[in-house]
Amino acid sequence: MSEAPEGALPSLLAHGFVMRLILVGPPGTGKGTQAKLLSERQGLTHIGTGDILREAIRLGTPLGKRARPYVDSGQLVPDDLVNDLIAERFQRADRPHRFVMDGYPRTRSQADIFDRVLEQQGITLCAVVLLATPDEEIIRRLTGRWSCPKCKATYHLLSKPPKNDKLCDTCQSELFQRVDDQEATVRERMRLYHATTGGMVEHYRQKGLLQEAPGQGDIETIFARIVEILKQADSSC
Ligand code: AMP
């Protein structure tokens, strides 16, 4: 989790810029990148459960040990684990006042718990921004990544294709595709995403908080769309 300095805040914050939001989007949509930019440029605390869990696994903490089998196999970790993690973060005296949630809540039941945690602390959520990208576009992006087994160079068939079909430009070795970039795996991650997040997205739509931003385009274009949406969202929040 990256903590932004609360002092020198960019000008948008002085103009009713929404400060407490959830960023939602399918895998491969650049959600983490956008949350990081919102943290760096708009002074929001970035709370990314995937990052927190990966760090806990790296450090071998009790949380990391429990989460590891789930994270390694691409399944969701049990609700109580992430719910406790987030509740603890918002119950601390140094709880964030401006934040962007990345990866949590992910299901309807997590959203219910998160609502309660925020309510207990008197914190209002300002917006839920859904980065909407067609499945086929995501599949093209995620399955386009190929690597060289020998010199470890990476390529992307769309944005950085090798000069010769599936051969490394540097050492001419045959490129390979990681298991998690293969189409069957990517489709399974998309299926899981839709099956788990649908109820959560609907919950926030009914609360009038959901805003959609097209997830196609380069990083800066998507960032500008998100900022525009947030500027127009409830300025009293
Ligand atoms: P991410 O980086 O957001 O794709 O998350 C990586 C992994 O962390 C996921 O595949 C899950 O195993 C786990 N994870 C992250 N956030 C959650 C969550 N809100 N609920 C359950 N599992 C999560």
Side-chain angles (χ1 to χ4, degrees):
M1 181 164 57
S2 52
E3 299 280 351
E6 300 254 331
L9 291 172
S11 57
L12 269 177
L13 291 180
H15 295 93
F17 185 75
V18 168
M19 291 182 278
R20 293 174 294 279
L21 70 128
I22 301 172
L23 210 49
V24 184
T29 204
K31 182 166 50 75
T33 306
Q34 296 297 333
K36 194 159 169 276
L37 287 181
L38 283 165
S39 164
E40 288 167 4
R41 299 182 184 174
Q42 308 297 345
L44 309 186
T45 297
H46 173 194
I47 302 180
T49 40
D51 293 341
I52 296 172
L53 294 171
R54 276 186 292 272
E55 178 68 358
I57 291 171
R58 195 181 65 78
L59 295 173
T61 66
L63 169 72
K65 287 191 178 120
R66 271 193 71 197
R68 174 163 222 153
Y70 302 96
V71 174
D72 280 356
S73 60
Q75 293 171 53
L76 294 185
V77 306
D79 276 355
D80 65 325
L81 209 148
V82 272
N83 286 335
D84 290 354
L85 175 80
I86 294 297
E88 189 274 331
R89 187 64 193 88
F90 280 91
Q91 283 156 359
R92 270 171 23 196
D94 67 343
R95 69 185 70 89
H97 297 291
R98 291 178 285 269
F99 57 82
V100 50
M101 304 300 297
D102 159 23
Y104 181 93
R106 227 171 175 108
T107 60
R108 172 62 202 266
S109 61
Q110 290 180 11
D112 287 336
I113 298 284
F114 190 47
D115 283 355
R116 234 176 297 153
V117 167
L118 293 182
E119 204 182 319
Q120 277 164 5
Q121 302 302 328
I123 298 172
T124 326
L125 200 57
C126 311
V128 176
V129 178
L130 172 65
L131 289 180
T133 315
D135 283 7
E136 291 311 314
E137 159 83 17
I138 290 179
I139 287 162
R140 258 199 312 278
R141 278 190 211 169
L142 291 182
T143 57
R145 190 165 58 166
W146 290 73
S147 316
C148 175
K150 202 164 157 209
C151 73
K152 311 289 179 225
T154 56
Y155 297 86
H156 196 286
L157 301 186
L158 298 177
S159 54
K160 191 190 161 198
K163 289 194 188 80
N164 294 310
D165 191 35
K166 310 262 168 76
L167 289 184
C168 180
D169 291 352
T170 314
C171 68
Q172 309 306 313
S173 304
E174 198 168 330
L175 302 177
F176 78 103
Q177 199 177 30
R178 283 171 29 179
V179 175
D180 41 330
D181 295 335
Q182 288 171 9
E183 183 165 340
T185 320
V186 172
R187 285 198 184 274
E188 175 55 18
R189 282 165 68 193
M190 299 300 300
R191 192 199 59 76
L192 188 67
Y193 166 78
H194 290 300
T196 51
T197 55
M200 185 265 285
V201 167
E202 204 40 49
H203 170 71
Y204 289 117
R205 196 191 302 278
Q206 277 172 21
K207 287 183 136 209
L209 287 172
L210 194 76
Q211 310 274 346
E212 286 195 27
Q216 293 109 313
D218 61 33
I219 291 172
E220 292 299 336
T221 306
I222 299 172
F223 183 72
R225 283 186 198 131
I226 296 173
V227 168
E228 209 41 50
I229 282 179
L230 296 179
K231 275 202 277 185
Q232 284 167 22
D234 186 0
S235 59
S236 64
C237 187

